[in-house]
Amino acid sequence: MTRALLVDERVATSAGIASGIDLALHLIAVRDGPVTAPRVAREMVVYARRNGDEHQASAMLRYRNHLSDLAHRAQDSIEARFTDPLPLAGHAQACGVSERTLTRRFAAATGPTPLRYQQVLRLERAEHLIGHGATVEAAARAVGFQDARMFRRLRSRKLAAEPGALSG
């Protein structure tokens, strides 16, 4: 397979303009975490990619292929503070709807409920931290879990539901 970008130790190169954008987003994700790169990509109105031969797998972009303004506003709110406890009542109030309406319309637009969406963001960020040397316990705490037990439970459910979705 031909790669459009290549990162080898301290040298990063790309093959052209589009792959240069992919490389820049990759470097942002490495330096600032996987939350920042999709935000930059959205500002630039481009697709975010993690490396030269991996399709976009970021939850922040994967669940954004809908036209619901309510769900987008809720997603923005959840993404801004996904490591904090999820105050569904606060999100609903900020969106001008009831908790039930928010949950129903969010799930209809995105698939997961607001809580599940937050969990997916936490899992993805924790996997990134573990991939960069953090312990499971440290990664779990860094993304908002009180300890690693809930992270492990959610991780095993995701692995069972989507084989190969997360690295071991």
Side-chain angles (χ1 to χ4, degrees):
M1 168 187 271
T2 303
R3 293 185 61 165
L5 66 92
L6 178 65
V7 178
D8 184 17
E9 293 184 28
R10 296 182 51 107
V11 177
T13 63
S14 64
I17 294 172
S19 60
I21 293 169
D22 292 343
L23 177 59
L25 293 171
H26 167 76
L27 294 173
I28 290 168
V30 168
R31 187 189 69 201
D32 299 323
V35 173
T36 305
R39 288 184 181 149
V40 171
R42 278 198 310 265
E43 280 294 316
M44 295 174 58
V45 193
V46 297
Y47 290 104
R49 290 200 168 89
R50 291 192 174 171
N51 66 38
D53 43 272
E54 180 179 304
H55 294 293
Q56 175 51 256
S58 168
M60 289 188 185
L61 294 179
R62 218 174 35 241
Y63 294 107
R64 289 282 186 160
N65 60 346
H66 59 81
L67 299 175
S68 170
D69 183 54
L70 172 67
H72 281 296
R73 284 183 288 147
Q75 284 177 288
D76 291 342
S77 177
I78 293 166
E79 290 166 7
R81 295 179 307 279
F82 73 92
T83 61
D84 297 340
L86 179 68
L88 186 59
H91 288 304
Q93 184 178 18
C95 291
V97 296
S98 70
E99 292 175 45
R100 183 175 177 203
T101 298
L102 176 61
T103 300
R104 182 176 43 79
R105 289 177 57 191
F106 187 96
T110 66
T113 64
L115 176 61
R116 181 65 185 136
Y117 181 67
Q118 178 196 37
Q119 291 172 341
V120 168
L121 295 178
R122 286 180 170 186
L123 285 169
E124 184 173 275
R125 177 64 179 155
E127 288 294 335
H128 174 80
L129 293 172
I130 291 167
H132 284 82
T135 65
V136 171
E137 186 70 34
R141 288 189 186 281
V143 300
F145 294 115
Q146 289 183 356
D147 58 42
R149 190 174 59 236
M150 177 58 97
F151 167 70
R152 285 187 181 106
R153 187 175 333 144
L154 291 171
R155 187 184 200 198
S156 67
R157 279 189 209 159
K158 181 162 181 69
L159 288 170
E162 303 174 34
L166 294 175
S167 58

